[in-house]
Amino acid sequence: MNMMDALVAGGWLMLPLLGSSLLATVIIIERLWTLRAGRIAPLGLGQEVCTLVSRGQVNLYWLESHSPLGGVLAAGLRNARLGHEQVRARLQEAATAVIHDMERFLSPLGTIAAITPLIGLLGTVVGMIEVFSVIVAGDGASRTADLAGGISRALVTTAAGLTIAIPALMFHRYFQRRVEDITVRMEEQAGQVVEFLAHYPGELTLAERHGSGTQQQERDTERLEADGRIAPRVKQP
């Protein structure tokens, strides 16, 4: 029995199973590409931000466009003048948004893994009802081959449902674990930056936009004292 024969033998319930299979495949490919730890939370970014802070200037435009973790760190640095508790709170809010984005499409994938065996079982039940209808209506004893063929066709939907559900469930669990690992990595690097800011004695300079000219830097830069107050701007001679 080839693929086309299986689709025909399974009846109309093979259509939702086929649609679920295509949707699960698209989700798995998209999540494999999106949930890359190096893209979301590259190693060493927290230490790099600490180095930039120690040099006295952090380009928030560059940091936000660097990675989702960079956006989280930039959100915390923007609130550095409000105190370390506000920095932690803003980091938590930004990280929650990133985690929510990482979990996108995982719920539909889990739903596919849960309902496809049930759809397959429903197809088998419908097929068995048809088989027993033949037995009741006619001479079932003389049509053993036909009955066996009908039962085998009824089981096609169950096999198709399990074939879809097993890899969908495996990838769902795998993606959940990957999200947890990336979240831990983000928390470690964010905590590193917060700890550095808590003991940083100098001034913090934040550049809001990307620019290379002196006038652009003067417009887009704020200088923060170690206690969080905005330092007065000094006019260059």
PDB file of all heavy atoms in Angstrom, residues 178-190:
ATOM      1  N   ARG A 178      14.958  23.380  25.064  1.00  0.00           N
ATOM      2  CA  ARG A 178      15.852  24.388  24.484  1.00  0.00           C
ATOM      3  C   ARG A 178      15.491  25.777  24.994  1.00  0.00           C
ATOM      4  O   ARG A 178      16.385  26.581  25.289  1.00  0.00           O
ATOM      5  CB  ARG A 178      15.786  24.344  22.952  1.00  0.00           C
ATOM      6  CG  ARG A 178      16.666  25.390  22.283  1.00  0.00           C
ATOM      7  CD  ARG A 178      16.686  25.271  20.776  1.00  0.00           C
ATOM      8  NE  ARG A 178      17.478  24.143  20.330  1.00  0.00           N
ATOM      9  CZ  ARG A 178      17.830  23.950  19.066  1.00  0.00           C
ATOM     10  NH1 ARG A 178      17.457  24.804  18.125  1.00  0.00           N
ATOM     11  NH2 ARG A 178      18.553  22.912  18.722  1.00  0.00           N
ATOM     12  N   VAL A 179      14.198  26.067  25.100  1.00  0.00           N
ATOM     13  CA  VAL A 179      13.774  27.363  25.638  1.00  0.00           C
ATOM     14  C   VAL A 179      14.272  27.527  27.063  1.00  0.00           C
ATOM     15  O   VAL A 179      14.744  28.601  27.459  1.00  0.00           O
ATOM     16  CB  VAL A 179      12.239  27.505  25.564  1.00  0.00           C
ATOM     17  CG1 VAL A 179      11.771  28.713  26.361  1.00  0.00           C
ATOM     18  CG2 VAL A 179      11.783  27.631  24.118  1.00  0.00           C
ATOM     19  N   GLU A 180      14.189  26.470  27.865  1.00  0.00           N
ATOM     20  CA  GLU A 180      14.669  26.542  29.242  1.00  0.00           C
ATOM     21  C   GLU A 180      16.170  26.791  29.287  1.00  0.00           C
ATOM     22  O   GLU A 180      16.652  27.608  30.092  1.00  0.00           O
ATOM     23  CB  GLU A 180      14.333  25.238  29.974  1.00  0.00           C
ATOM     24  CG  GLU A 180      12.844  25.022  30.198  1.00  0.00           C
ATOM     25  CD  GLU A 180      12.548  23.673  30.810  1.00  0.00           C
ATOM     26  OE1 GLU A 180      13.510  22.898  31.042  1.00  0.00           O
ATOM     27  OE2 GLU A 180      11.368  23.374  31.065  1.00  0.00           O
ATOM     28  N   ASP A 181      16.936  26.119  28.433  1.00  0.00           N
ATOM     29  CA  ASP A 181      18.389  26.305  28.411  1.00  0.00           C
ATOM     30  C   ASP A 181      18.760  27.728  28.009  1.00  0.00           C
ATOM     31  O   ASP A 181      19.658  28.344  28.603  1.00  0.00           O
ATOM     32  CB  ASP A 181      19.034  25.306  27.450  1.00  0.00           C
ATOM     33  CG  ASP A 181      18.915  23.871  27.942  1.00  0.00           C
ATOM     34  OD1 ASP A 181      18.669  23.673  29.149  1.00  0.00           O
ATOM     35  OD2 ASP A 181      19.056  22.936  27.118  1.00  0.00           O
ATOM     36  N   ILE A 182      18.090  28.253  26.988  1.00  0.00           N
ATOM     37  CA  ILE A 182      18.389  29.616  26.546  1.00  0.00           C
ATOM     38  C   ILE A 182      17.992  30.624  27.620  1.00  0.00           C
ATOM     39  O   ILE A 182      18.691  31.627  27.843  1.00  0.00           O
ATOM     40  CB  ILE A 182      17.668  29.916  25.219  1.00  0.00           C
ATOM     41  CG1 ILE A 182      18.211  29.003  24.113  1.00  0.00           C
ATOM     42  CG2 ILE A 182      17.846  31.376  24.814  1.00  0.00           C
ATOM     43  CD1 ILE A 182      17.479  29.150  22.790  1.00  0.00           C
ATOM     44  N   THR A 183      16.877  30.362  28.317  1.00  0.00           N
ATOM     45  CA  THR A 183      16.453  31.256  29.392  1.00  0.00           C
ATOM     46  C   THR A 183      17.485  31.301  30.505  1.00  0.00           C
ATOM     47  O   THR A 183      17.798  32.386  31.037  1.00  0.00           O
ATOM     48  CB  THR A 183      15.094  30.797  29.950  1.00  0.00           C
ATOM     49  OG1 THR A 183      14.123  30.802  28.901  1.00  0.00           O
ATOM     50  CG2 THR A 183      14.632  31.715  31.067  1.00  0.00           C
ATOM     51  N   VAL A 184      18.036  30.155  30.868  1.00  0.00           N
ATOM     52  CA  VAL A 184      19.070  30.113  31.903  1.00  0.00           C
ATOM     53  C   VAL A 184      20.299  30.894  31.451  1.00  0.00           C
ATOM     54  O   VAL A 184      20.895  31.656  32.229  1.00  0.00           O
ATOM     55  CB  VAL A 184      19.440  28.655  32.233  1.00  0.00           C
ATOM     56  CG1 VAL A 184      20.671  28.599  33.133  1.00  0.00           C
ATOM     57  CG2 VAL A 184      18.275  27.957  32.916  1.00  0.00           C
ATOM     58  N   ARG A 185      20.681  30.749  30.198  1.00  0.00           N
ATOM     59  CA  ARG A 185      21.834  31.491  29.680  1.00  0.00           C
ATOM     60  C   ARG A 185      21.577  32.999  29.730  1.00  0.00           C
ATOM     61  O   ARG A 185      22.478  33.779  30.083  1.00  0.00           O
ATOM     62  CB  ARG A 185      22.141  31.060  28.243  1.00  0.00           C
ATOM     63  CG  ARG A 185      23.332  31.782  27.640  1.00  0.00           C
ATOM     64  CD  ARG A 185      23.544  31.439  26.178  1.00  0.00           C
ATOM     65  NE  ARG A 185      23.968  30.064  25.981  1.00  0.00           N
ATOM     66  CZ  ARG A 185      24.419  29.601  24.816  1.00  0.00           C
ATOM     67  NH1 ARG A 185      24.497  30.404  23.762  1.00  0.00           N
ATOM     68  NH2 ARG A 185      24.789  28.343  24.699  1.00  0.00           N
ATOM     69  N   MET A 186      20.363  33.415  29.376  1.00  0.00           N
ATOM     70  CA  MET A 186      20.028  34.833  29.435  1.00  0.00           C
ATOM     71  C   MET A 186      20.081  35.351  30.871  1.00  0.00           C
ATOM     72  O   MET A 186      20.595  36.454  31.130  1.00  0.00           O
ATOM     73  CB  MET A 186      18.641  35.071  28.844  1.00  0.00           C
ATOM     74  CG  MET A 186      18.549  34.866  27.351  1.00  0.00           C
ATOM     75  SD  MET A 186      16.846  35.012  26.726  1.00  0.00           S
ATOM     76  CE  MET A 186      16.421  36.650  27.316  1.00  0.00           C
ATOM     77  N   GLU A 187      19.556  34.577  31.809  1.00  0.00           N
ATOM     78  CA  GLU A 187      19.560  35.000  33.204  1.00  0.00           C
ATOM     79  C   GLU A 187      20.986  35.136  33.734  1.00  0.00           C
ATOM     80  O   GLU A 187      21.280  36.075  34.492  1.00  0.00           O
ATOM     81  CB  GLU A 187      18.782  33.996  34.053  1.00  0.00           C
ATOM     82  CG  GLU A 187      17.282  34.006  33.794  1.00  0.00           C
ATOM     83  CD  GLU A 187      16.564  32.923  34.574  1.00  0.00           C
ATOM     84  OE1 GLU A 187      17.262  32.057  35.139  1.00  0.00           O
ATOM     85  OE2 GLU A 187      15.315  32.934  34.606  1.00  0.00           O
ATOM     86  N   GLU A 188      21.857  34.225  33.352  1.00  0.00           N
ATOM     87  CA  GLU A 188      23.242  34.290  33.812  1.00  0.00           C
ATOM     88  C   GLU A 188      23.933  35.557  33.320  1.00  0.00           C
ATOM     89  O   GLU A 188      24.600  36.263  34.081  1.00  0.00           O
ATOM     90  CB  GLU A 188      24.004  33.055  33.342  1.00  0.00           C
ATOM     91  CG  GLU A 188      23.579  31.761  34.035  1.00  0.00           C
ATOM     92  CD  GLU A 188      24.285  30.549  33.469  1.00  0.00           C
ATOM     93  OE1 GLU A 188      24.966  30.704  32.419  1.00  0.00           O
ATOM     94  OE2 GLU A 188      24.173  29.461  34.055  1.00  0.00           O
ATOM     95  N   GLN A 189      23.766  35.873  32.025  1.00  0.00           N
ATOM     96  CA  GLN A 189      24.451  37.042  31.475  1.00  0.00           C
ATOM     97  C   GLN A 189      23.816  38.346  31.962  1.00  0.00           C
ATOM     98  O   GLN A 189      24.529  39.331  32.205  1.00  0.00           O
ATOM     99  CB  GLN A 189      24.438  36.974  29.953  1.00  0.00           C
ATOM    100  CG  GLN A 189      25.159  35.751  29.410  1.00  0.00           C
ATOM    101  CD  GLN A 189      25.566  35.925  27.965  1.00  0.00           C
ATOM    102  OE1 GLN A 189      26.254  36.858  27.590  1.00  0.00           O
ATOM    103  NE2 GLN A 189      25.124  35.012  27.123  1.00  0.00           N
ATOM    104  N   ALA A 190      22.488  38.376  32.111  1.00  0.00           N
ATOM    105  CA  ALA A 190      21.837  39.565  32.646  1.00  0.00           C
ATOM    106  C   ALA A 190      22.267  39.802  34.094  1.00  0.00           C
ATOM    107  O   ALA A 190      22.530  40.939  34.505  1.00  0.00           O
ATOM    108  CB  ALA A 190      20.322  39.424  32.553  1.00  0.00           C
TER     109      ALA A 190
END
